[in-house]
């Protein structure tokens, strides 16, 4: 028989165990609480209420992303995903569309790498309770932070899907500790996609929604795997997506409404929340928090062109490492940047706020690297940049001043020939006298160390 290959992708919603909800300060613990008591105008979707993003939830998502080998883009933003449902009072869910907090990454399952597409953050909806002909709504859960982890369709069997989920549960619960990750309490909810191909033709793509136990995921996928293979002769000619449900009591799957396409949600950027800039986060120390092995980090820095010893020094100081990485985005002589950072040519202690000036600092380091300015001038320029000046606005001044000092020194030596001769005859304390003259002439603007250097050079010591 033809060789049929199974392709499975998963989307996992992980409820974060933050104290408060995603965009308001309501208590995030809704389990066993009286309906509609942990609510406020924001999570009830009242007109005019304004969401404020939960920083803890964002940091935890990034932390999870770092643990799962994701890339953390510089900018992330929230979007509105529109749909109507009685448990969604706003008429839209705040989610993330094209700029999530984490992209790429992978999870190792056995000896296989299952790639991830992305991890984004969104809010949960409320809950509908149906009983005896009436439906009730409980909005305690509305606004709960959900981290959605989306895998690539890299999974090859229902068993591997189960193993992937168990691994992920262990990571979010025990390693990064961002969720209780209890399947029974609904902290982990899984949607699965499955299709089969013979290499040319493809079965329909089945989406299984809201599977709330690992066993159900495996069972539902196994049922679909068999069903789709049996349908092989009748596979569709065009791409076809369907949604199916799983009845755990009868252990069967059944057809549901067809899947909406992304466009139906009319995503647009959430105007009430500013985009998030990840450079405001100390990624290196987050990595350290979660014990991303120092070896791996050092290896990466060596891969950026650093010597092992420099990589080790940077890896042991989160601020310096962050700063190094930031500057290296703007200028590509990594070994030089490392040297400047490690030997602190700045002359001041680097702080988080220095990250904001990194592109300006990069320009100064580049000029230093090409020999346009020396080490002393470099540190003076750093200081001015830190005080809010732009490199281009100050650099010319320094380049001219440097030339001027030479001229001033020459002039002074010429006008004080007697002292020069005394100096050369051995009266070295006259150096201070010359320095004083130069400083007076330059009205104190010259760097004394620089003046010393030029004087010694011209006096021919
Ligand atoms: Zn609220
Ligand atoms: Mn979602």
């Amino acid at each position: 028989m033809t060789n049929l290959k199974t392709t499975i992708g998963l989307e996992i919603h992980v409820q974060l165990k933050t104290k408060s909800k995603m965009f308001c300060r309501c208590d995030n613990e809704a389990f066993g609480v009286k309906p509609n008591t942990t609510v406020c105008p924001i999570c009830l979707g009242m007109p005019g209420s304004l969401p404020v993003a939960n920083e803890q939830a964002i940091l935890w998502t990034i932390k999870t992303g770092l643990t799962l080998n994701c890339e953390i883009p510089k900018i992330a933003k929230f979007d509105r995903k529109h749909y109507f449902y009685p448990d969604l009072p706003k008429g839209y869910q705040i989610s993330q569309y094209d700029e999530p907090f984490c992209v790429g990454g992978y999870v190792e399952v056995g000896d296989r790498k299952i790639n991830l597409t992305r991890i984004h953050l969104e809010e949960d909806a409320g809950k509908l309770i149906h009983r005896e002909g009436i439906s009730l709504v409980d909005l305690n859960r509305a606004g709960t932070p959900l981290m959605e982890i989306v895998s690539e369709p890299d999974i090859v069997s229902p068993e591997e899907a189960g193993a992937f989920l168990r691994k992920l549960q262990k990571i979010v619960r025990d390693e990064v500790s961002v969720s209780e990750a209890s399947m029974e309490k609904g902290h982990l909810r899984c949607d699965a996609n499955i299709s089969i191909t013979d290499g040319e033709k493809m079965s329909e793509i089945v989406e299984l929604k809201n599977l709330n136990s690992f066993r159900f995921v495996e069972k539902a996928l196994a049922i679909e795997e068999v069903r789709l293979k049996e349908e092989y002769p009748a596979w569709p000619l065009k791409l076809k997506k369907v949604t199916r449900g799983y009845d755990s009591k009868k252990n069967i799957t059944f057809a549901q409404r067809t899947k909406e396409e992304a466009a139906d949600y009319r995503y647009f950027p959430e105007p009430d929340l500013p985009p998030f800039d990840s450079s405001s986060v100390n990624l290196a120390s987050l990595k350290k928090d979660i014990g991303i092995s120092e070896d791996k980090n050092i290896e990466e820095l060596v891969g950026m062109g650093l010597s092992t010893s420099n990589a080790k020094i940077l890896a042991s100081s989160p601020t310096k490492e962050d700063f190094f990485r930031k500057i290296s985005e703007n200028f590509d002589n990594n070994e030089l940047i490392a040297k400047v950072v490690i030997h602190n040519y700045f002359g001041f202690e680097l702080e988080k706020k220095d990250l904001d000036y990194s592109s300006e600092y990069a320009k100064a380091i580049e000029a230093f690297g090409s020999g346009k300015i020396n080490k002393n001038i470099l540190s003076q320029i750093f200081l001015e940049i830190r005080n809010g000046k732009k490199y281009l606005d100050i650099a010319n001044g320094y380049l001219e001043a440097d030339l001027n000092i030479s001229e001033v020194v020459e002039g002074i030596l010429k006008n004080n020939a007697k002292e020069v001769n005394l100096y050369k005859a051995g009266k070295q304390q006259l150096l201070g006298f010359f320095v004083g003259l130069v400083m007076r002439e330059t009205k104190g603007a010259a760097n004394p160390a620089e003046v010393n250097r030029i004087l010694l050079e011209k006096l021919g010591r």
Side-chain angles (χ1 to χ4, degrees):
M1 185 171 167
T2 335
N3 205 355
L4 296 180
K5 196 175 145 264
T6 302
T7 302
I8 297 169
L10 298 176
E11 291 177 17
I12 302 104
H13 286 94
V14 181
Q15 181 178 319
L16 298 178
K17 60 176 187 188
T18 48
K19 276 213 88 53
S20 53
K21 292 186 182 180
M22 188 60 227
F23 300 112
C24 62
R25 303 184 67 177
C26 288
D27 196 342
N28 188 33
E29 182 52 270
F31 202 75
V33 174
K34 203 163 164 266
N36 300 306
T37 54
T38 56
V39 289
C40 74
I42 295 171
C43 53
L44 287 175
M46 300 284 188
S49 62
L50 283 174
V52 175
N54 185 328
E55 192 187 359
Q56 180 79 87
I58 294 175
L59 289 180
W60 280 356
T61 301
I62 292 176
K63 213 166 156 179
T64 306
L66 289 171
T67 307
L68 299 179
N69 317 291
C70 300
E71 199 189 301
I72 311 301
K74 182 167 155 42
I75 299 292
K77 69 169 168 58
F78 288 103
D79 298 273
R80 292 184 178 181
K81 178 182 182 181
H82 298 86
Y83 62 98
F84 174 79
Y85 209 68
D87 63 9
L88 187 77
K90 290 201 294 284
Y92 60 84
Q93 176 195 30
I94 304 179
S95 179
Q96 297 190 277
Y97 184 51
D98 53 349
E99 294 187 280
F101 286 110
C102 315
V103 297
Y106 60 87
V107 177
E108 278 170 79
V109 178
D111 54 6
R112 296 223 320 127
K113 255 188 196 175
I114 310 294
N115 289 299
L116 301 179
T117 313
R118 58 189 271 154
I119 304 177
H120 70 255
L121 194 53
E122 60 189 27
E123 57 176 344
D124 207 348
K127 236 184 219 171
L128 289 182
I129 303 150
H130 306 284
R131 61 166 73 128
E132 295 143 29
I134 56 163
S135 290
L136 302 164
V137 64
D138 175 8
L139 292 171
N140 281 349
R141 202 181 64 181
T144 288
L146 291 180
M147 182 171 72
E148 181 170 335
I149 303 173
V150 183
S151 89
E152 289 285 293
D154 280 357
I155 299 166
V156 295
S157 70
E159 297 74 44
E160 192 172 64
F164 173 85
L165 281 169
R166 286 186 187 91
K167 179 83 185 270
L168 214 52
Q169 180 189 40
K170 202 166 170 307
I171 290 172
V172 297
R173 188 187 56 202
D174 307 332
E175 268 185 49
V176 274
S177 307
V178 296
S179 173
E180 284 178 50
S182 149
M183 278 266 187
E184 304 81 66
K185 287 190 184 174
H187 295 154
L188 276 185
R189 275 167 277 158
C190 179
D191 298 341
N193 285 290
I194 178 169
S195 64
I196 317 269
T197 175
D198 65 355
E200 283 171 20
K201 280 198 303 170
M202 193 167 103
S203 73
E204 56 188 21
I205 301 172
V206 177
E207 176 162 42
L208 293 155
K209 285 235 170 224
N210 268 320
L211 301 163
N212 55 9
S213 103
F214 295 143
R215 269 188 319 121
F216 295 168
V217 173
E218 287 171 304
K219 282 183 171 177
L221 284 171
I223 293 170
E224 281 305 308
E225 191 178 36
V226 171
R227 190 183 68 83
L228 291 171
K229 281 183 181 170
E230 280 171 3
E231 278 189 356
Y232 178 52
W235 277 2
L237 294 171
K238 279 203 312 197
L239 186 80
K240 192 181 165 198
K241 289 183 179 177
V242 298
T243 304
R244 293 178 71 88
Y246 174 68
D247 181 334
S248 57
K249 289 198 187 94
K250 297 183 194 152
N251 192 31
I252 53 161
T253 61
F254 54 90
Q256 281 183 326
R257 65 183 163 80
T258 47
K259 188 179 160 54
E260 300 95 322
E261 295 305 315
D264 285 351
Y265 292 122
R266 297 287 186 271
Y267 279 99
F268 71 69
E270 167 59 64
D272 292 335
L273 292 164
F276 179 83
D277 185 341
S278 71
S279 55
S280 66
V281 174
N282 188 333
L283 294 181
S285 66
L286 265 189
K287 280 187 198 175
K288 201 144 287 171
D289 263 16
I290 49 185
I292 285 205
S293 83
E294 193 146 321
D295 287 351
K296 196 170 151 192
N297 203 16
I298 290 169
E299 209 177 283
E300 201 182 301
L301 289 167
V302 169
M304 291 173 79
L306 300 195
S307 66
T308 312
S309 61
N310 279 352
K312 279 185 179 160
I313 295 170
L314 282 183
S316 67
S317 159
T319 316
K320 283 188 176 167
E321 185 193 335
D322 268 355
F323 191 65
F324 161 78
R325 286 177 182 271
K326 196 82 203 146
I327 290 189
S328 80
E329 285 172 16
N330 294 290
F331 168 54
D332 58 10
N333 187 340
N334 288 342
E335 197 46 58
L336 176 65
I337 300 168
K339 186 170 143 194
V340 169
V341 172
I342 288 169
H343 300 291
N344 194 13
Y345 288 6
F346 294 86
F348 48 81
E349 197 68 37
L350 287 172
E351 290 168 26
K352 205 174 134 184
K353 70 168 185 182
D354 288 297
L355 287 172
D356 295 344
Y357 307 121
S358 45
S359 64
E360 294 299 314
Y361 289 144
K363 289 176 195 159
I365 296 174
E366 191 169 0
F368 172 65
S370 64
K372 277 192 212 147
I373 53 175
N374 65 31
K375 208 172 123 184
N376 290 314
I377 304 257
L378 178 66
S379 61
Q380 289 178 61
I381 291 179
F382 281 148
L383 196 60
E384 295 215 39
I385 289 173
R386 198 182 215 218
N387 290 328
K389 298 218 176 105
K390 292 260 173 267
Y391 172 75
L392 279 178
D393 296 341
I394 43 181
N396 282 338
Y398 276 107
L399 295 177
E400 277 161 24
D402 202 24
L403 289 176
N404 286 345
I405 296 173
S406 290
E407 274 173 38
V408 171
V409 167
E410 270 170 30
I412 282 168
L413 296 184
K414 210 181 276 171
N415 294 337
N416 297 277
K418 200 177 85 190
E419 282 77 9
V420 171
N421 285 333
L422 282 171
Y423 176 88
K424 286 186 172 162
K427 206 171 173 199
Q428 303 226 332
Q429 57 270 46
L430 276 170
L431 186 64
F433 164 76
F434 296 126
V435 172
L437 289 177
V438 177
M439 294 311 283
R440 197 164 73 199
E441 179 126 3
T442 58
K443 300 194 178 66
N447 172 3
E450 204 47 26
V451 172
N452 255 305
R453 185 185 64 81
I454 295 172
L455 270 169
L456 290 174
E457 198 183 286
K458 305 265 181 210
L459 287 165
R461 194 200 63 172

